[in-house]
Amino acid sequence: MKKDKAVVVFSGGQDSTTCLFWALEQFKEVEAVTFDYNQRHRLEIDCARNITQELNVKHHILDMSLLNQLAPNALTRDDIPVLDGEEGELPSTFVPGRNLLFLSFAGILARGIGAKHIVTGVCETDFSGYPDCRDMFIKSLNVTLNLSMDENLVIHTPLMWLNKAETWEMADSLQAFDFVREKTLTCYNGIIADGCGECPACKLRENGLNEYLASKGEL
């Protein structure tokens, strides 16, 4: 039996779109929320809007531009190069406090629309070292949100222990493989679908895709 209502934290990328399809299978009613923090590519918001319209999912876009001012990084500044972290340092794409703020506002939105569930695509297996994608952080924040609002919200992380190949497998099992491959935006250079093939996000996505296709004998 499907649970009642959920809010999906939604960027229009591979992971959050897979989670959106997952949520549509799990919950009677689903709404999506996208955060506008003056990210490097405005196309991300357009992509999220187009996907939710196609899937007939109510879509909220919230202004989080203050995050852009407080946390300059490669996702908010064109003059900061996209670089992997080296020698234990975080990648230049890490936005301090992003998931803390996004999930907190998603919780407030959920309370306002009567949803008891929040779905996010964070993942500790392929998380690029981001501390706010770890399971421990999500569990801690879930407790804090409920204490702050005297609620019983549940944060769901269906991708938490999956690698990218397994995420592609999940999309396929949800009959969403082609949709996710062709209509999502993961690329740090703002190219929809298979992307630029050069940035860290595209390489992670492509490696996972190739691994999954190879496991099916299609590569």
Side-chain angles (χ1 to χ4, degrees), residues 2-20:
K2 288 188 176 183
K3 305 178 185 70
D4 291 331
K5 189 172 185 178
V7 171
V8 177
V9 178
F10 190 61
S11 70
Q14 175 191 359
D15 292 346
S16 66
T17 303
T18 302
C19 285
L20 181 59

Side-chain angles (χ1 to χ4, degrees), residues 178-197:
D178 290 336
F179 188 104
V180 171
R181 184 171 184 182
E182 296 167 5
K183 299 184 179 184
T184 61
L185 174 59
T186 301
C187 178
Y188 289 148
N189 290 314
I191 302 173
I192 286 179
D194 290 336
C196 70

Side-chain angles (χ1 to χ4, degrees), residues 174 191 205:
L174 294 166
I191 302 173
R205 173 175 165 142

Side-chain angles (χ1 to χ4, degrees), residues 4 21 24-25 40 59 67 80 87 91 94-95 104 130 147 151-152 155 167 187 190 194 206 211:
D4 291 331
F21 275 94
L24 289 168
E25 288 275 321
R40 189 168 182 153
H59 188 209
L67 184 59
I80 299 177
E87 298 181 359
F94 174 60
V95 185
S104 295
Y130 295 170
L147 288 173
E151 282 288 340
N152 290 302
I155 300 178
T167 300
C187 178
D194 290 336
E206 182 180 10
E211 182 182 341

Side-chain angles (χ1 to χ4, degrees), residues 14-170:
Q14 175 191 359
D15 292 346
S16 66
T17 303
T18 302
C19 285
L20 181 59
F21 275 94
W22 179 87
L24 289 168
E25 288 275 321
Q26 298 290 321
F27 300 97
K28 294 177 183 177
E29 188 175 353
V30 174
E31 298 187 17
V33 59
T34 299
F35 297 97
D36 181 354
Y37 57 102
N38 292 330
Q39 48 266 65
R40 189 168 182 153
H41 299 293
R42 305 293 298 172
L43 183 59
E44 179 178 301
I45 296 174
D46 294 336
C47 186
R49 183 185 291 112
N50 291 339
I51 290 171
T52 53
Q53 286 178 349
E54 183 167 348
L55 297 178
N56 196 30
V57 171
K58 186 173 181 179
H59 188 209
H60 307 265
I61 300 176
L62 302 185
D63 180 7
M64 298 289 289
S65 53
L66 181 61
L67 184 59
N68 183 286
Q69 300 174 42
L70 292 174
N73 65 90
L75 293 189
T76 60
R77 300 289 190 275
D78 290 335
D79 58 347
I80 299 177
V82 174
L83 299 172
D84 284 324
E86 296 181 359
E87 298 181 359
E89 294 185 354
L90 290 167
S92 65
T93 52
F94 174 60
V95 185
R98 180 171 59 171
N99 284 337
L100 171 65
L101 291 175
F102 286 4
L103 288 166
S104 295
F105 277 84
I108 296 168
L109 174 64
R111 188 179 190 277
I113 63 175
K116 294 294 186 182
H117 303 271
I118 301 167
V119 182
T120 177
V122 297
C123 168
E124 190 166 324
T125 306
D126 286 329
F127 73 139
S128 301
Y130 295 170
D132 59 354
C133 288
R134 294 177 298 189
D135 186 60
M136 182 182 297
F137 163 72
I138 297 296
K139 285 183 167 59
S140 172
L141 181 60
N142 201 156
V143 172
T144 299
L145 279 177
N146 286 333
L147 288 173
S148 73
M149 297 188 290
D150 196 22
E151 282 288 340
N152 290 302
L153 302 173
V154 179
I155 300 178
H156 300 266
T157 55
L159 309 183
M160 180 58 74
W161 306 112
L162 304 184
N163 59 32
K164 274 292 180 285
E166 291 166 330
T167 300
W168 282 112
E169 182 180 11
M170 175 184 281

